[in-house]
């Protein structure tokens, strides 16, 4: 007996004579690398010929390649971090020839956008320190994982929460007792990111605070020139409101000007 295997790509396709080494044996073998989703539906049959030249054709056998698709073993986790802190979202999956694509949206009701960041095609999506701002708080991220057969699975959604305790005052402005006609100043020292300063004053400890329009009122040091230090200003109080890049604020203690 002599054997010759044939194949076709579908049940309506044309039969093709196989040139594989095994095609001349009674067993037609497909290697692991040949068994792909693309070959699902291929059909095979064998023509067997005896020494007298008579032949018979076998029934048709169909190859069906199934796949459950990639499986996520570790979902990305939501992250809560301070502004300016690098963070990442990671997904772990099993499957063959996996490809990753991360998506993001600006809120839980927003539209998903395909990320074009370099890390968006990996299993770990990283935000640099400069990207972690208060403005991104509430952003959500998820990953679509596709295997070599084209099947995909979508990860759970992970949320970025950016917290901020606001700026911190390390040195409060100090009350000043000076003689009339003596320049003096009030200084505040604070820590935080991209701090902005605004000084306020009131004419007495029970008065209403007014926003100063002096040039120095937007710095960390509020200065009164010698001509401004008059007896009439004795009892004036000064304080500073400090704001960071996220809009968080802190107000200093009040410092009192006493003129002898």
């Amino acid at each position: 007996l002599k054997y010759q295997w044939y194949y076709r790509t579908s049940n309506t396709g044309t039969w093709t004579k196989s040139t594989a080494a095994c095609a001349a044996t009674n067993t037609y073998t497909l290697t692991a690398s040949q068994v792909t989703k693309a070959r699902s539906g291929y059909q095979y049959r064998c023509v067997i010929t005896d020494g007298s030249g008579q032949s018979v054709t076998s029934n048709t056998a169909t190859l069906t390649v199934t796949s459950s698709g990639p499986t996520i073993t570790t979902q990305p986790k939501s992250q809560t971090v301070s502004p300016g802190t690098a963070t990442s979202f990671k997904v772990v999956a099993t499957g063959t020839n996996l490809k990753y694509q991360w998506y993001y949206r600006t809120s839980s009701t927003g539209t998903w956008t395909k990320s074009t960041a370099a890390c968006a095609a990996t299993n770990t999506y990283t935000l640099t320190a400069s990207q972690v701002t208060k403005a991104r708080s509430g952003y959500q991220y998820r990953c679509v994982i596709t295997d070599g057969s084209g099947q995909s699975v979508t990860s759970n959604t992970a949320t970025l929460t950016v917290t901020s305790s606001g700026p911190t005052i390390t040195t409060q402005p100090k009350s000043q007792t000076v003689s009339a006609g003596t320049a003096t100043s009030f200084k505040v020292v604070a820590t935080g990111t991209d701090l902005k300063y605004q000084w306020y004053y009131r004419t007495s400890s029970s008065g209403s605070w007014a926003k100063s329009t002096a040039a120095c009122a937007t710095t960390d040091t509020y200065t009164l020139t010698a001509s401004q230090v008059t007896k009439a200003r004795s009892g004036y109080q000064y304080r500073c409101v400090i704001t960071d890049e996220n809009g968080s604020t802190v107000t200093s203690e009040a410092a009192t000007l006493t003129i002898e």
Side-chain angles (χ1 to χ4, degrees), residues 37-250:
K37 192 67 177 177
R39 287 191 188 240
S40 190
Y42 272 43
Q43 293 189 322
Y44 301 84
R45 71 182 183 185
C46 189
V47 176
I48 307 164
T49 306
D50 65 14
S52 67
Q54 295 200 68
S55 64
V56 63
T57 301
S58 74
N59 291 344
T60 297
T62 302
L63 173 67
T64 301
V65 182
T66 62
S67 173
S68 59
T71 300
I72 295 175
T73 56
T74 304
Q75 296 284 353
K77 297 178 181 178
S78 294
Q79 300 293 330
T80 299
V81 294
S82 300
T85 305
T87 191
S88 61
F89 302 92
K90 182 174 183 177
V91 64
V92 180
T94 58
T96 305
N97 297 326
L98 298 181
K99 293 182 180 180
Y100 303 86
Q101 178 59 57
W102 287 87
Y103 294 78
Y104 69 91
R105 61 183 180 183
T106 58
S107 70
S108 59
T109 58
T111 301
W112 288 104
T113 300
K114 181 178 179 180
S115 175
T116 58
C119 61
T122 71
N123 71 330
T124 304
Y125 191 82
T126 301
L127 294 169
T128 63
S130 62
Q131 292 175 316
V132 180
T133 63
K134 193 67 175 177
R136 287 191 188 237
S137 190
Y139 272 42
Q140 294 189 319
Y141 301 85
R142 70 181 184 185
C143 188
V144 175
I145 307 163
T146 306
D147 66 12
S149 68
Q151 297 208 62
S152 63
V153 62
T154 302
S155 75
N156 292 345
T157 297
T159 303
L160 173 67
T161 301
V162 183
T163 62
S164 176
S165 58
T168 300
I169 295 176
T170 56
T171 303
Q172 296 284 350
K174 297 177 180 179
S175 295
Q176 300 293 328
T177 299
V178 295
S179 300
T182 304
T184 193
S185 61
F186 301 93
K187 182 179 177 68
V188 65
V189 179
T191 58
T193 306
D194 293 335
L195 299 181
K196 294 181 180 180
Y197 303 87
Q198 179 59 58
W199 287 87
Y200 293 79
Y201 69 92
R202 62 182 177 182
T203 59
S204 69
S205 60
S206 59
S208 298
W209 289 102
K211 182 178 180 180
S212 174
T213 58
C216 60
T218 55
T219 71
D220 64 346
T221 304
Y222 191 81
T223 300
L224 293 169
T225 64
S227 63
Q228 292 174 316
V229 180
T230 62
K231 194 67 177 176
R233 287 190 188 241
S234 190
Y236 272 41
Q237 292 189 321
Y238 300 85
R239 71 180 185 185
C240 187
V241 175
I242 307 165
T243 306
D244 67 11
E245 66 172 352
N246 302 307
S248 296
T249 63
V250 62

Side-chain angles (χ1 to χ4, degrees), residues 1-30:
L1 299 179
K2 294 182 179 180
Y3 302 86
Q4 179 58 57
W5 286 88
Y6 293 79
Y7 69 91
R8 61 183 179 181
T9 58
S10 69
N11 59 9
T12 58
T14 301
W15 288 103
T16 300
K17 181 179 180 179
S18 174
T19 58
C22 62
T25 71
N26 70 336
T27 304
Y28 191 82
T29 301
L30 293 169

